Amino acid sequence: KLSKRVIRMGKSSAIKKVAEHLKNHPEAKVIFMVGAGISTSCGIPDFRSPKTGLYHNLAKLNLPFAEAVFDVDYFDKNPQPFYTLARELYPGNFKPSKFHYLMKLFENNKRLQRIYTQNIDTLEHQALISGSYVIEAHGSFSKNHCIKCSKEYPLEKFKSKLKIDETHSEDSGSTDFDYARCDDCGGLVKPAIVFFGEGLPSRFFDTWEEDQEWFLKEKEKNHLVLIAGTSLTVYPFASLPEEVPPEVRRALINQELVGDFKAFPREEDIIIHGDVDDAAQKLAAELGWLTDLELLAAGG
Ligand code: CNA
């Protein structure tokens, strides 16, 4: 039933529907919920896209299972896969996408309520979106701590070890590769990225509770939730869309139909099948923000 409706609506008219919603409700603000798909055009692979995703490419690291790269016990035994991945993902190596800049324009136009991101690439900050709007649900590289005694370390502690040591190349299979270790107990130092089995930052839960109350208080303003570039498979983040109150409209921009949009579609959902940057460009055009988007993307 849903797929018929999606086909009937088409991509352009779905984008127009989002734009119309925002134009018809000038007080409405947007909460974004985003994932790795908004950064793939920046050159950062996502997890699950076939052939290009990180899980596909991790095969060469001989992991017992792909998710082991984000498993604390595995990291304790063998930090090399995480170091390899961190080298690929480390903030500073990439520029934001058009989609990131679209979110910045929502802030500039006072139409942004929040961005819940699963990404650890900090591209929201690089797009100069104010930190008060951004919830990094899966942590970031900006803090580090020892996995044994929890002693905290500055960013440099881990970062300095990311440079490939020619004499102890990972490929040579050397076991004394130079990993960041705690000065007190010798435990491995790990960035504050949420690994499987670890708790999410309390700011994630606190802010989501506030935002849910905000929805209830401001029902008549017709706020919108826009979900983009995520497979909605990692919990508890993946449950956010289903916790959006039924009277609040949801839109999805993604290459595939995912999560609650697939399992429990709502009559009012708007589905934009396709590329996030392409959708960002079209939505910006509909909202009269295209020149601003192009200026931001060009770095000026
Ligand atoms: P995922 O499971 O890899 O899903 C990505 C989704 O985005 C898929 O549904 C894709 O079809 C879709 N997609 C990919 N490219 C595009 C595009 N250009 N336009 C539209 N849709 C696209 O990633 P999730 O974020 O859902 O999974 C959560 C994990 C991924 C979090 O724990 C992250 O920390 C982790 N991750 C983050 C990064 C990053 O920080 N950039 C990179 C890789 C993985």
Side-chain angles (χ1 to χ4, degrees):
K1 189 178 160 207
L2 176 79
S3 59
K4 272 194 203 140
R5 193 159 65 82
V6 171
I7 292 162
R8 258 207 332 268
M9 201 190 278
K11 192 162 88 179
S12 307
S13 38
I15 291 172
K16 280 201 172 93
K17 237 190 162 94
V18 173
E20 259 166 39
H21 181 102
L22 292 166
K23 286 193 257 187
N24 292 343
H25 305 291
E27 290 194 294
K29 290 190 177 185
V30 171
I31 290 186
F32 287 91
M33 297 172 179
V34 297
I38 69 159
S39 298
T40 48
S41 69
C42 312
I44 309 175
D46 64 5
F47 271 176
R48 293 175 185 83
S49 283
K51 303 230 163 72
T52 55
L54 279 171
Y55 282 160
H56 179 82
N57 293 322
L58 285 170
K60 57 182 183 258
L61 294 174
N62 295 325
L63 288 163
F65 51 101
E67 288 84 357
V69 71
F70 292 116
D71 182 293
V72 185
D73 292 334
Y74 188 81
F75 173 76
D76 196 15
K77 284 195 243 78
N78 179 16
Q80 184 190 315
F82 180 69
Y83 271 72
T84 309
L85 180 104
R87 247 176 229 127
E88 269 194 66
L89 284 185
Y90 206 83
N93 297 338
F94 303 94
K95 288 207 174 72
S97 65
K98 279 201 174 154
F99 195 88
H100 289 99
Y101 287 122
L102 177 77
M103 297 196 294
K104 174 65 184 164
L105 286 176
F106 272 85
E107 176 184 359
N108 290 358
N109 287 281
K110 304 200 171 11
R111 306 294 301 262
L112 180 64
Q113 168 70 7
R114 203 79 63 198
I115 299 170
Y116 290 89
T117 180
Q118 296 167 91
N119 295 345
I120 49 179
D121 54 31
T122 68
L123 287 176
E124 293 83 7
H125 296 293
Q126 281 187 58
L128 300 180
I129 299 165
S130 313
S132 58
Y133 291 110
V134 183
I135 305 298
E136 292 174 321
H138 294 164
S140 81
F141 283 95
S142 61
K143 285 185 185 158
N144 295 273
H145 67 275
C146 167
I147 61 166
K148 282 220 172 76
C149 72
S150 304
K151 183 173 174 175
E152 293 198 2
Y153 285 95
L155 179 139
E156 261 318 298
K157 181 87 177 168
F158 178 83
K159 192 181 169 190
S160 64
K161 304 290 184 193
L162 281 187
K163 292 178 201 108
I164 297 186
D165 180 340
E166 301 294 341
T167 52
H168 292 113
S169 157
E170 302 164 81
D171 297 334
S172 73
S174 162
T175 48
D176 55 354
F177 188 75
D178 193 17
Y179 299 117
R181 289 199 174 270
C182 177
D183 301 333
D184 290 355
C185 73
L188 284 159
V189 172
K190 167 188 154 311
I193 287 166
V194 180
F195 276 29
F196 291 110
E198 290 185 313
L200 272 61
S202 55
R203 185 165 176 242
F204 167 81
F205 297 102
D206 296 345
T207 313
W208 180 232
E209 214 174 287
E210 275 170 34
D211 284 342
Q212 280 176 300
E213 281 165 21
W214 169 80
F215 279 136
L216 292 178
K217 268 204 311 253
E218 306 206 346
K219 268 186 189 159
E220 77 292 350
K221 292 190 181 162
N222 291 290
H223 300 305
L224 181 76
V225 175
L226 218 163
I227 295 142
T230 170
S231 62
L232 290 179
T233 45
V234 179
Y235 285 83
F237 193 99
S239 61
L240 295 187
E242 65 197 65
E243 289 170 18
V244 172
E247 61 274 15
V248 177
R249 194 150 203 196
R250 311 182 303 181
L252 173 75
I253 309 177
N254 214 48
Q255 302 282 26
E256 51 179 346
L257 196 57
V258 290
D260 209 45
F261 288 90
K262 198 174 175 179
F264 298 101
R266 298 179 186 177
E267 194 58 37
E268 288 292 296
D269 283 346
I270 303 172
I271 313 287
I272 301 163
H273 267 290
D275 177 64
V276 286
D277 287 342
D278 181 48
Q281 172 105 3
K282 292 192 169 113
L283 185 55
E286 292 289 337
L287 295 170
W289 300 348
L290 192 54
T291 313
D292 293 342
L293 183 69
E294 278 167 358
L295 271 175
L296 287 180

